[in-house]
Amino acid sequence: MPTLILVRHGRSTANTSAVLAGWTPGVALDERGAAQAAALPGRLDGLPIAEVVTSPLQRCQETLRPLLEARPGLRVHTDERIGECHYGDWSGRKLAELMDEPLMEVVQAHPSAAAFPGGESMRAMQTRAAEAVREWNARVERDHGADAVYLMCSHGDIIKSLVADALGLHLDLFQRISVEPCSITAIRYTRLRPFLVRLGDTGDFASLAPREEPPAGDATVGGGAGAP
């Protein structure tokens, strides 16, 4: 079965303003995110990409633009199933404000039980994304062969949930996974099991350096802004 390259969108204006964007329209890449997107074709140079699948949201479309310009023959497909989690009434709110919500403790410690008011559950988010990957695996193998490589551009929580699915981890453990903006995660699928061969690779180790303020123990819902 194929190898899937998962690219999280570049840093967005919502990331830098610490807002939970969700499906809020008009959320674009910030200056750094645009630079990350511009570097993506070089990072993927030499990798034969058979197909590209993307979330319909603007920040993913903008992340892929330089790659598609560099490879004009590459076919791109939009799939809503790999769009961001539907955070419902939480969408557009400051993350600092949401930390006081009782539901946030559930999102952090027991996400399989978390359902966003006016939105979807985290279980539903993972299920739709995993179903999309399985369908695209079959389609890419059918059209391009079992050794094909294809790419999906999606969002932090979606990618984390797909990594958990590939590793056989319960969704309640997915907050232990971190993927920074414009990071590359690769999963090689086989008939019996998937293999995680890259996780959150940015080629930049700045985020590992000690910070003046140590990072909080909780995961950033939506994925966070990455290295300062």
PDB file of all heavy atoms in Angstrom, residues 122-141:
ATOM      1  N   MET A 122     -14.385  14.487  19.190  1.00  0.00           N
ATOM      2  CA  MET A 122     -13.042  14.155  18.713  1.00  0.00           C
ATOM      3  C   MET A 122     -13.007  12.737  18.136  1.00  0.00           C
ATOM      4  O   MET A 122     -12.218  12.449  17.240  1.00  0.00           O
ATOM      5  CB  MET A 122     -12.022  14.345  19.828  1.00  0.00           C
ATOM      6  CG  MET A 122     -12.010  15.770  20.366  1.00  0.00           C
ATOM      7  SD  MET A 122     -10.544  16.210  21.329  1.00  0.00           S
ATOM      8  CE  MET A 122      -9.528  16.922  20.029  1.00  0.00           C
ATOM      9  N   ARG A 123     -13.883  11.866  18.613  1.00  0.00           N
ATOM     10  CA  ARG A 123     -13.987  10.533  18.024  1.00  0.00           C
ATOM     11  C   ARG A 123     -14.438  10.634  16.565  1.00  0.00           C
ATOM     12  O   ARG A 123     -13.900   9.959  15.685  1.00  0.00           O
ATOM     13  CB  ARG A 123     -14.984   9.658  18.794  1.00  0.00           C
ATOM     14  CG  ARG A 123     -14.576   9.288  20.197  1.00  0.00           C
ATOM     15  CD  ARG A 123     -15.509   8.233  20.785  1.00  0.00           C
ATOM     16  NE  ARG A 123     -16.924   8.479  20.515  1.00  0.00           N
ATOM     17  CZ  ARG A 123     -17.681   9.337  21.202  1.00  0.00           C
ATOM     18  NH1 ARG A 123     -17.163  10.038  22.191  1.00  0.00           N
ATOM     19  NH2 ARG A 123     -18.953   9.492  20.904  1.00  0.00           N
ATOM     20  N   ALA A 124     -15.447  11.476  16.319  1.00  0.00           N
ATOM     21  CA  ALA A 124     -15.953  11.639  14.952  1.00  0.00           C
ATOM     22  C   ALA A 124     -14.886  12.235  14.048  1.00  0.00           C
ATOM     23  O   ALA A 124     -14.755  11.847  12.876  1.00  0.00           O
ATOM     24  CB  ALA A 124     -17.197  12.516  14.964  1.00  0.00           C
ATOM     25  N   MET A 125     -14.112  13.168  14.585  1.00  0.00           N
ATOM     26  CA  MET A 125     -13.019  13.775  13.824  1.00  0.00           C
ATOM     27  C   MET A 125     -12.029  12.707  13.369  1.00  0.00           C
ATOM     28  O   MET A 125     -11.649  12.635  12.196  1.00  0.00           O
ATOM     29  CB  MET A 125     -12.301  14.822  14.684  1.00  0.00           C
ATOM     30  CG  MET A 125     -11.038  15.404  14.077  1.00  0.00           C
ATOM     31  SD  MET A 125      -9.967  16.201  15.305  1.00  0.00           S
ATOM     32  CE  MET A 125      -9.274  14.748  16.148  1.00  0.00           C
ATOM     33  N   GLN A 126     -11.592  11.869  14.313  1.00  0.00           N
ATOM     34  CA  GLN A 126     -10.622  10.828  13.968  1.00  0.00           C
ATOM     35  C   GLN A 126     -11.214   9.822  12.979  1.00  0.00           C
ATOM     36  O   GLN A 126     -10.540   9.419  12.021  1.00  0.00           O
ATOM     37  CB  GLN A 126     -10.145  10.090  15.214  1.00  0.00           C
ATOM     38  CG  GLN A 126      -9.073   9.041  14.913  1.00  0.00           C
ATOM     39  CD  GLN A 126      -8.705   8.207  16.119  1.00  0.00           C
ATOM     40  OE1 GLN A 126      -9.588   7.757  16.864  1.00  0.00           O
ATOM     41  NE2 GLN A 126      -7.415   7.993  16.339  1.00  0.00           N
ATOM     42  N   THR A 127     -12.457   9.443  13.180  1.00  0.00           N
ATOM     43  CA  THR A 127     -13.088   8.437  12.323  1.00  0.00           C
ATOM     44  C   THR A 127     -13.163   8.907  10.883  1.00  0.00           C
ATOM     45  O   THR A 127     -12.806   8.172   9.952  1.00  0.00           O
ATOM     46  CB  THR A 127     -14.494   8.096  12.842  1.00  0.00           C
ATOM     47  OG1 THR A 127     -14.382   7.525  14.146  1.00  0.00           O
ATOM     48  CG2 THR A 127     -15.205   7.121  11.914  1.00  0.00           C
ATOM     49  N   ARG A 128     -13.609  10.148  10.669  1.00  0.00           N
ATOM     50  CA  ARG A 128     -13.746  10.629   9.288  1.00  0.00           C
ATOM     51  C   ARG A 128     -12.381  10.751   8.608  1.00  0.00           C
ATOM     52  O   ARG A 128     -12.228  10.441   7.420  1.00  0.00           O
ATOM     53  CB  ARG A 128     -14.522  11.945   9.232  1.00  0.00           C
ATOM     54  CG  ARG A 128     -13.884  13.142   9.943  1.00  0.00           C
ATOM     55  CD  ARG A 128     -14.694  14.410   9.665  1.00  0.00           C
ATOM     56  NE  ARG A 128     -14.400  15.512  10.563  1.00  0.00           N
ATOM     57  CZ  ARG A 128     -13.422  16.385  10.409  1.00  0.00           C
ATOM     58  NH1 ARG A 128     -12.571  16.261   9.401  1.00  0.00           N
ATOM     59  NH2 ARG A 128     -13.267  17.394  11.269  1.00  0.00           N
ATOM     60  N   ALA A 129     -11.371  11.207   9.366  1.00  0.00           N
ATOM     61  CA  ALA A 129     -10.042  11.361   8.774  1.00  0.00           C
ATOM     62  C   ALA A 129      -9.427  10.006   8.439  1.00  0.00           C
ATOM     63  O   ALA A 129      -8.840   9.818   7.359  1.00  0.00           O
ATOM     64  CB  ALA A 129      -9.138  12.133   9.728  1.00  0.00           C
ATOM     65  N   ALA A 130      -9.585   9.040   9.337  1.00  0.00           N
ATOM     66  CA  ALA A 130      -9.025   7.706   9.093  1.00  0.00           C
ATOM     67  C   ALA A 130      -9.731   7.029   7.918  1.00  0.00           C
ATOM     68  O   ALA A 130      -9.088   6.334   7.107  1.00  0.00           O
ATOM     69  CB  ALA A 130      -9.131   6.850  10.351  1.00  0.00           C
ATOM     70  N   GLU A 131     -11.035   7.227   7.811  1.00  0.00           N
ATOM     71  CA  GLU A 131     -11.762   6.661   6.678  1.00  0.00           C
ATOM     72  C   GLU A 131     -11.286   7.279   5.365  1.00  0.00           C
ATOM     73  O   GLU A 131     -11.141   6.585   4.352  1.00  0.00           O
ATOM     74  CB  GLU A 131     -13.260   6.880   6.853  1.00  0.00           C
ATOM     75  CG  GLU A 131     -13.891   5.972   7.911  1.00  0.00           C
ATOM     76  CD  GLU A 131     -15.375   6.237   8.096  1.00  0.00           C
ATOM     77  OE1 GLU A 131     -15.872   7.257   7.545  1.00  0.00           O
ATOM     78  OE2 GLU A 131     -16.037   5.441   8.787  1.00  0.00           O
ATOM     79  N   ALA A 132     -11.026   8.595   5.396  1.00  0.00           N
ATOM     80  CA  ALA A 132     -10.520   9.260   4.193  1.00  0.00           C
ATOM     81  C   ALA A 132      -9.180   8.671   3.779  1.00  0.00           C
ATOM     82  O   ALA A 132      -8.947   8.386   2.595  1.00  0.00           O
ATOM     83  CB  ALA A 132     -10.390  10.763   4.445  1.00  0.00           C
ATOM     84  N   VAL A 133      -8.280   8.465   4.738  1.00  0.00           N
ATOM     85  CA  VAL A 133      -6.963   7.908   4.426  1.00  0.00           C
ATOM     86  C   VAL A 133      -7.094   6.511   3.844  1.00  0.00           C
ATOM     87  O   VAL A 133      -6.440   6.172   2.840  1.00  0.00           O
ATOM     88  CB  VAL A 133      -6.063   7.898   5.676  1.00  0.00           C
ATOM     89  CG1 VAL A 133      -4.840   7.018   5.468  1.00  0.00           C
ATOM     90  CG2 VAL A 133      -5.640   9.316   6.028  1.00  0.00           C
ATOM     91  N   ARG A 134      -7.933   5.682   4.412  1.00  0.00           N
ATOM     92  CA  ARG A 134      -8.078   4.326   3.901  1.00  0.00           C
ATOM     93  C   ARG A 134      -8.638   4.326   2.475  1.00  0.00           C
ATOM     94  O   ARG A 134      -8.195   3.543   1.618  1.00  0.00           O
ATOM     95  CB  ARG A 134      -8.956   3.499   4.834  1.00  0.00           C
ATOM     96  CG  ARG A 134      -8.187   3.052   6.089  1.00  0.00           C
ATOM     97  CD  ARG A 134      -9.107   2.623   7.220  1.00  0.00           C
ATOM     98  NE  ARG A 134      -8.354   2.090   8.344  1.00  0.00           N
ATOM     99  CZ  ARG A 134      -7.635   2.820   9.206  1.00  0.00           C
ATOM    100  NH1 ARG A 134      -7.577   4.136   9.060  1.00  0.00           N
ATOM    101  NH2 ARG A 134      -6.975   2.248  10.205  1.00  0.00           N
ATOM    102  N   GLU A 135      -9.569   5.206   2.213  1.00  0.00           N
ATOM    103  CA  GLU A 135     -10.115   5.285   0.857  1.00  0.00           C
ATOM    104  C   GLU A 135      -9.077   5.809  -0.131  1.00  0.00           C
ATOM    105  O   GLU A 135      -8.959   5.302  -1.258  1.00  0.00           O
ATOM    106  CB  GLU A 135     -11.366   6.157   0.847  1.00  0.00           C
ATOM    107  CG  GLU A 135     -12.563   5.500   1.519  1.00  0.00           C
ATOM    108  CD  GLU A 135     -13.804   6.367   1.477  1.00  0.00           C
ATOM    109  OE1 GLU A 135     -13.849   7.315   0.646  1.00  0.00           O
ATOM    110  OE2 GLU A 135     -14.726   6.121   2.279  1.00  0.00           O
ATOM    111  N   TRP A 136      -8.303   6.811   0.292  1.00  0.00           N
ATOM    112  CA  TRP A 136      -7.272   7.349  -0.595  1.00  0.00           C
ATOM    113  C   TRP A 136      -6.133   6.353  -0.786  1.00  0.00           C
ATOM    114  O   TRP A 136      -5.547   6.267  -1.865  1.00  0.00           O
ATOM    115  CB  TRP A 136      -6.767   8.692  -0.079  1.00  0.00           C
ATOM    116  CG  TRP A 136      -7.673   9.818  -0.486  1.00  0.00           C
ATOM    117  CD1 TRP A 136      -8.583  10.482   0.297  1.00  0.00           C
ATOM    118  CD2 TRP A 136      -7.781  10.386  -1.791  1.00  0.00           C
ATOM    119  NE1 TRP A 136      -9.253  11.425  -0.444  1.00  0.00           N
ATOM    120  CE2 TRP A 136      -8.779  11.391  -1.731  1.00  0.00           C
ATOM    121  CE3 TRP A 136      -7.143  10.143  -3.002  1.00  0.00           C
ATOM    122  CZ2 TRP A 136      -9.133  12.151  -2.842  1.00  0.00           C
ATOM    123  CZ3 TRP A 136      -7.493  10.904  -4.121  1.00  0.00           C
ATOM    124  CH2 TRP A 136      -8.488  11.883  -4.034  1.00  0.00           C
ATOM    125  N   ASN A 137      -5.799   5.588   0.234  1.00  0.00           N
ATOM    126  CA  ASN A 137      -4.789   4.532   0.069  1.00  0.00           C
ATOM    127  C   ASN A 137      -5.184   3.591  -1.063  1.00  0.00           C
ATOM    128  O   ASN A 137      -4.371   3.248  -1.937  1.00  0.00           O
ATOM    129  CB  ASN A 137      -4.635   3.729   1.360  1.00  0.00           C
ATOM    130  CG  ASN A 137      -3.805   4.429   2.415  1.00  0.00           C
ATOM    131  OD1 ASN A 137      -3.145   5.423   2.136  1.00  0.00           O
ATOM    132  ND2 ASN A 137      -3.845   3.911   3.636  1.00  0.00           N
ATOM    133  N   ALA A 138      -6.435   3.147  -1.025  1.00  0.00           N
ATOM    134  CA  ALA A 138      -6.919   2.208  -2.038  1.00  0.00           C
ATOM    135  C   ALA A 138      -6.926   2.855  -3.422  1.00  0.00           C
ATOM    136  O   ALA A 138      -6.541   2.227  -4.424  1.00  0.00           O
ATOM    137  CB  ALA A 138      -8.315   1.718  -1.667  1.00  0.00           C
ATOM    138  N   ARG A 139      -7.347   4.098  -3.485  1.00  0.00           N
ATOM    139  CA  ARG A 139      -7.432   4.798  -4.776  1.00  0.00           C
ATOM    140  C   ARG A 139      -6.042   5.027  -5.370  1.00  0.00           C
ATOM    141  O   ARG A 139      -5.814   4.807  -6.564  1.00  0.00           O
ATOM    142  CB  ARG A 139      -8.160   6.129  -4.585  1.00  0.00           C
ATOM    143  CG  ARG A 139      -8.264   6.981  -5.824  1.00  0.00           C
ATOM    144  CD  ARG A 139      -9.176   8.165  -5.580  1.00  0.00           C
ATOM    145  NE  ARG A 139      -9.178   9.091  -6.696  1.00  0.00           N
ATOM    146  CZ  ARG A 139      -9.965  10.167  -6.777  1.00  0.00           C
ATOM    147  NH1 ARG A 139     -10.820  10.424  -5.808  1.00  0.00           N
ATOM    148  NH2 ARG A 139      -9.906  10.960  -7.822  1.00  0.00           N
ATOM    149  N   VAL A 140      -5.100   5.477  -4.520  1.00  0.00           N
ATOM    150  CA  VAL A 140      -3.744   5.746  -5.007  1.00  0.00           C
ATOM    151  C   VAL A 140      -3.065   4.450  -5.438  1.00  0.00           C
ATOM    152  O   VAL A 140      -2.387   4.398  -6.469  1.00  0.00           O
ATOM    153  CB  VAL A 140      -2.930   6.482  -3.919  1.00  0.00           C
ATOM    154  CG1 VAL A 140      -1.459   6.546  -4.288  1.00  0.00           C
ATOM    155  CG2 VAL A 140      -3.481   7.904  -3.728  1.00  0.00           C
ATOM    156  N   GLU A 141      -3.259   3.376  -4.667  1.00  0.00           N
ATOM    157  CA  GLU A 141      -2.665   2.092  -5.057  1.00  0.00           C
ATOM    158  C   GLU A 141      -3.247   1.610  -6.376  1.00  0.00           C
ATOM    159  O   GLU A 141      -2.516   1.103  -7.249  1.00  0.00           O
ATOM    160  CB  GLU A 141      -2.885   1.056  -3.959  1.00  0.00           C
ATOM    161  CG  GLU A 141      -2.265  -0.296  -4.297  1.00  0.00           C
ATOM    162  CD  GLU A 141      -2.357  -1.294  -3.162  1.00  0.00           C
ATOM    163  OE1 GLU A 141      -2.993  -0.976  -2.136  1.00  0.00           O
ATOM    164  OE2 GLU A 141      -1.791  -2.392  -3.295  1.00  0.00           O
TER     165      GLU A 141
END
